[in-house]
Amino acid sequence: MKFERYGIGIAKGLTVTMRNLLRRRITTQYPEQRLTVSRRTRGNELVWSKEKCTGCATCAKTCPQGVIHIVTSPGEENSYEVEEFEVDTGYCISCGLCVEACPYDALYMSYAFELARYRRGELVLSRNDMLIENKQASAYFRPEISETLPEQELLIDRKE
Ligand code: SF4
Ligand code: SF4
């Protein structure tokens, strides 16, 4: 059996501690401090444009989880009125397929990533919860809005 001299292990450990003590920090004090995430992030929510949506339900048919629920009624000039538009984010896997499939560019991924809730039912988002007027859409699959979004912040680029 090999024995090391007493204290060598502690000295080695302290050397590592001292070396890292003087280094620039590579962590942040979340949730007090937050970094701006990538413009193309796929958040936990969807953002929906009432004006652009035609109620075609392509997004609901594309969703592999079957979590988009749409109810429409006949509207004017051969169109649909969207009565209900709900997404159960408890089962959503943020794959983005619904956004990619929407033929009218009415769906976006969001920046949201803090969606823990006490009750299961609160994870079901209604159309009002997803309105583009109230939510920040990300540029995932929508490069045309990329320039309007804040640049991603990386700890490595920080000066302090
Ligand atoms: S992101 Fe994926 S799982 Fe979530 S609603 Fe859209 S298609 Fe369904
Ligand atoms: S695919 Fe787009 S336009 Fe069609 S119902 Fe879904 S969000 Fe609306």
Side-chain angles (χ1 to χ4, degrees), residues 48-49 52-60 68 70 82 85 98 101-107:
W48 178 65
S49 169
K52 290 184 187 171
C53 181
T54 60
C56 68
T58 306
C59 52
I68 303 179
I70 300 179
V82 181
F85 193 101
C98 52
C102 177
Y104 300 98
D105 294 352
L107 264 188

